[in-house]
Amino acid sequence: MTEAAGIVVALQANYLEVELDQTPEQGPSRLLCTRRTRLSHRGKAVHVGDRVHVEAIDPVQARAVVSGVAPRSSWLTRPQVANVSLVLVALAVDQPAFDPDQASRFLLTAERTGSPVQLLLTKGDLLGEEQRSALVQRLQGWGYEALVISSQTGEGIEALRQLLQTTELAVVCGPSGVGKSSVLNRLMPHLALRVGAVSGRLQRGRHTTRHVELFSIAPGARVADTPGFNRPELPADLSELGLLFPELRTQLDPWPCRFRDCLHLQEPGCGINRDWERFALYQDALMECADLSRPSRAG
Ligand SMILES: Nc1nc2c(ncn2[C@@H]2O[C@H](COP(=O)(O)OP(=O)(O)OP(=O)(O)O)[C@@H](O)[C@H]2O)c(=O)[nH]1
Ligand SMILES: [Mg+2]
Ligand SMILES: [Zn+2]
């Protein structure tokens, strides 16, 4: 066999790590690949999650060349992952403290994929019963059924395993230090991923995970660990923004406003209900987007 199909499971400097769809009778199923120059010239970046065609397989050195990339079914902008079928937004109940603005930025980024979004509340062991159900209820108001987990006590871990085992490609993303790598270790102890303590007054994470990597959790089911970061950008498309808030999205079908391009601020004939927690955040996000999309005045 000199050519085959596979999926990019990691990037390292200029190399792509590709796992083949079919384990070859002889030789390794994981190959370190370069790209055909034709691919680089077309400026087509290849990312983790991309389905690729590999050629010139050298089974002894476990090397090959990526010669083609299949069209993507979805795209997560940050962390960059292709063909995502579920985005798990991991947020800690504490350490680091729950931050609604930051949480929303992660959720909006996740919603832009068009794939289902599941909110994971990590470190459930750090919060009392009452405060916990208050937080879960608050998130229901945002349109999310949060799954509370703890890598320390094991709470919620089997429910998460069931979800992941039936998902082709799930991505765990969220701020640094919320326990993304810890939960994958709890699910798959053989991974032995590096974890880092949170520190400082703000109990921030230390950016322990440095690269996106896919791991296999069941046949046909993979999950990505990703590097945490603290403040995702807001989407720049104003007209799309409302659809990224589930609690607003449900109000927009059928369209309740007089004007097709209503942004639900002060327009006449706007038919949405403004009585939801994140409405203020939606307004702020619109303002920020508008500032971003205004053409620069230089020259
Ligand atoms: N109390 C408690 N601590 C946890 C839990 N899960 C993880 N931690 C701790 O949180 C810290 C950060 O965990 P990591 O798994 O490295 O966090 P991460 O989200 O992967 O962080 P980055 O890789 O930097 O993005 C470690 O000290 C863990 O021991 C949990 O369920 N409960
Ligand atoms: Mg990590
Ligand atoms: Zn409106």
Side-chain angles (χ1 to χ4, degrees), residues 147-167:
L147 176 60
V148 183
I149 61 168
S150 168
S151 302
Q152 210 150 83
T153 66
E155 176 188 6
I157 297 295
E158 287 316 306
L160 180 59
R161 188 191 304 279
Q162 300 233 320
L163 177 63
L164 292 176
Q165 282 176 340
T166 52
T167 301

Side-chain angles (χ1 to χ4, degrees), residues 47-68:
H47 287 282
V48 174
D50 267 322
R51 313 230 43 121
V52 293
H53 186 82
V54 299
E55 293 178 354
I57 296 174
D58 174 348
V60 179
Q61 304 288 331
R63 301 285 290 260
V65 179
V66 168
S67 57

Side-chain angles (χ1 to χ4, degrees), residues 257 262 264 270-272:
C257 312
C262 188
H264 326 297
C270 178
I272 69 143

Side-chain angles (χ1 to χ4, degrees), residues 123 125 150-152 176-182 195-197 207-209 228:
K123 309 197 187 187
D125 55 283
S150 168
S151 302
Q152 210 150 83
S176 180
V178 297
K180 301 179 294 298
S181 302
S182 299
V195 305
H207 303 282
T208 307
T209 303

Side-chain angles (χ1 to χ4, degrees), residues 29-111:
S29 59
R30 204 172 158 121
L31 304 168
L32 195 60
C33 301
T34 53
R35 307 165 177 77
R36 276 256 179 278
T37 43
R38 186 168 51 84
L39 281 175
S40 331
H41 283 162
R42 267 197 267 143
K44 187 163 167 56
V46 185
H47 287 282
V48 174
D50 267 322
R51 313 230 43 121
V52 293
H53 186 82
V54 299
E55 293 178 354
I57 296 174
D58 174 348
V60 179
Q61 304 288 331
R63 301 285 290 260
V65 179
V66 168
S67 57
V69 186
R72 293 177 184 144
S73 59
S74 64
W75 173 241
L76 182 63
T77 52
R78 192 172 174 208
Q80 294 182 319
V81 189
N83 301 315
V84 173
S85 40
L86 173 70
V87 189
L88 295 156
V89 174
L91 301 162
V93 300
D94 200 9
Q95 297 181 21
F98 183 84
D99 170 346
D101 178 68
Q102 181 189 53
S104 288
R105 285 170 177 268
F106 274 100
L107 290 167
L108 293 170
T109 306
E111 293 286 352

Side-chain angles (χ1 to χ4, degrees), residues 252 255-259 262-265 267 269-272 274:
L252 298 179
W255 190 254
C257 312
R258 184 184 309 160
F259 299 114
C262 188
L263 293 173
H264 326 297
L265 292 174
E267 295 93 332
C270 178
I272 69 143
R274 281 130 208 266

